[in-house]
Amino acid sequence: MPNLLQAEINNNFSHFEQQWPQALTTAIGDLSSEKSHFQVSYTRISSIQAWRTSIIASMVDESSLAFFFEAQNDLLISHCLARCGSFRQALKALRSAIENVYFSMYYKDHPIELEKWSNGRHKLGFTELTGYFESHPALFGTPKNKTGLDLLEKEYSTLSKAVHGSAKHFRMTKNLIDIQLWSSDIQLVGQWASREKCVVQGLNLLLLNLFSQQLQGAKHRNLREILGIVLTKAMHKWIK
């Protein structure tokens, strides 16, 4: 009997191995009409690359930089997962990107806590990190809508519902019959892109406040230009 069961499982595995790449290919093809969303997404993510290469890499210790590098990786993973139609997982990666930027910016100022973290003896939650940035000298007294913290708090709360499976509309499985790894639902592309847009804008605003001194005058022109594309026109005046 165990041999028969294992044989059946092996047969199901062979079917699954053949089926899921086909479903993935189908989803990628069906979502190709939304290429413009993904092109804009890649432009947004390029702003985080610009921050890392222009400023962060030269001002942050290697261990703290690793968090920032991982945040950029999270954003690219989110992009790729959404392009494949795996939207819930794409939202999880967006949440992780927020966390990793927060950790990077916190630990660069706290080498002792960073060393404790490396030894598994330090852990901070999102609420504690938000409180830290709210009282940070570079942000204190600035309206939250101009620091990025309000955007990031809202997005983190929304994305947490996807992570913890506490919101029905984030589910990939809809009919309780079929397991769905990839979705061809075009509407979900726009919904994911809206979440990503807010996350990246929030991160850029936070970094602008933390590193405003490094952007005085005409410094780091390439970074300034990509920020001009990614951030809304309404933000430009008060950022200056």
Side-chain angles (χ1 to χ4, degrees), residues 96-113:
S96 182
I98 297 174
E99 292 175 335
N100 274 309
V101 170
Y102 272 29
F103 287 138
S104 177
M105 295 299 101
Y106 176 85
Y107 282 122
K108 77 178 180 65
D109 296 330
H110 296 82
I112 302 301
E113 284 77 8

Side-chain angles (χ1 to χ4, degrees), residues 153-172:
E153 280 187 85
K154 291 175 184 175
E155 289 305 312
Y156 193 85
S157 176
T158 299
L159 296 170
S160 292
K161 295 175 182 176
V163 170
H164 300 301
S166 59
K168 183 178 179 180
H169 62 277
F170 287 131
R171 291 175 181 165
M172 289 290 293

Side-chain angles (χ1 to χ4, degrees), residues 134-145:
E134 286 176 341
S135 62
H136 193 287
L139 283 73
F140 186 73
T142 303
K144 286 182 70 172
N145 66 327

Side-chain angles (χ1 to χ4, degrees), residues 211-225:
F211 296 101
S212 61
Q213 293 303 311
Q214 284 68 44
L215 287 168
Q216 298 298 318
K219 297 177 182 177
H220 303 293
R221 180 176 177 181
N222 288 342
L223 172 58
R224 296 161 73 96
E225 288 183 355

